[in-house]
Amino acid sequence: MSIVKLARPEIQAMRAYEAAIQVDDTVRLNANESPQISPIGNFRRPLNRYPEVRPQELQKGLAARFGCAAEQLLVTRGSSEAIDLLIRTFCEAGRDSIVTPTPSFSMYWHYARIQGAAVIEVPTLVDNDFIIDMDAVLAACTENSRLVFVCSPNNPTGAPLPRADVVRLLEGRDKRSAVVVDEAYVEFGDQESVIDLINDYPNLLVLRTLSKALGFAGARCGAVAGSVDIINLLSAVQSPYALATPVVECVEDALQTEQLALADQAVENIINERQRLMTAVSAYDFVHQVWPSEANFFLARFADAEAVMQRCEENNVLLRHFGGDLADCIRITVGSPSDNDQLLRALDTLVGS
Ligand SMILES: Cc1ncc(COP(=O)(O)O)c(C=O)c1O
C-alpha cells in the first residue's frame, strides 16, 4: 500500500520539471548554454553544459553502495537536502507535524519551522542511555503527523535504534506516517542498515550521507532511499540539475573500490580511537558520565561544561555544547590520533582546578 496519498495534494499533482534533453554528439542549441569551454578545472564533462538533471551513474553507484535498487534512491545535496525535501513534500504549513525523539539532529526542527510544520518532541530515556521510548513515540503521533524522524545512531547521543523497534514503528504507523530513519552514522555502529526493509515497508525512507564515514562532507552529497513512487515525488520537488558536475565526478571517484577500501579503513581507525578517547575522557574526575556511542562522536557530562569548552577553545580545540537539557553535556567528535591527543592535553590542564 503506497503512502503517496500522505503527500501534499499539490505535490501529488505535480509533474517533474521538463529540462532540455541532453544527447551526446549533437549540436546542442536547446538550453541557452555557452559554446565556450572554460580551461578551469580538470573535469571529464565540460562545464559549459548543465549537468544531468539527475546523475544516473552516481545514482547507480550509491544504490549499489547502500544496498537498494537505483530507482529506489534519489541523490541529494547532503542528506540535509533530503530532510528538507521530505518535509516540503509531506507537510502542509499550519496543519501537519513531524514527530521526533529529543535530543536529536536539529535540522529536523529547522526545516519543519521553515515549512510551517509543527514538531512533536518525544524525550528519549536519558537514564537508559538515551534510548528511544517507542511506546511514547507511537502515542505522540496524531492524524496529521506526516513524518516520524528517527536517527540511528542518534546525534548527539550516539544511541542506536534496534531494528525491531524500527519495524514496530513502521507497523505502528503503517500508511498513516512516513518513517524516516536517518543513518548518517550507521557505518560506525554494530547495527546493519535497515535499507533492505524498503522492499517490505512502503512507509520507510532511509537517509544516507557521504559526509561522515566516506569523508566527503565538503562534496555535499547524500541520498534518500524508499519506495519508487515516493522517490519519484521527491525527485519532482528537487531542483533540476541539483548535483553540480564537479561534485558528481568527485563522488564517482570516491565510489571506486580502492577509495571505498580507504574509507572503510578510516572508519575502523575512528572506531578504535573512539574507544581510546572514551576511556581516557572517562578517567577525569570532572567527567561525570560518558555515554556509549555507535557513532564517530560521543556525549559526556561534565562538572562544569562551560569551563571545559572555554579551556579547550584556549587550546585550539573546538567541541560542541548544546545548552537546554544538555547544558552540562558536551559532544566530542573523534578526530585523528593527534587531534585526540591535543584534546586530552587540553583536558589535562583542568586536572585539580
Ligand atoms: C544525524 C544527521 N543527519 C544528517 C546530517 C546531514 O548530513 P549531510 O547534509 O552532510 O549529509 C547530519 C550532519 O551532521 C547528521 O548529524
Side-chain angles (χ1 to χ4, degrees), residues 78-80 83 105 108 151 155 182 184-185 209 211-212 220-221:
S79 47
S80 305
I83 298 167
F105 184 45
Y108 312 142
C151 182
N155 178 6
D182 184 343
Y185 302 97
T209 180
S211 299
K212 313 297 175 181
R220 308 306 302 126
C221 185

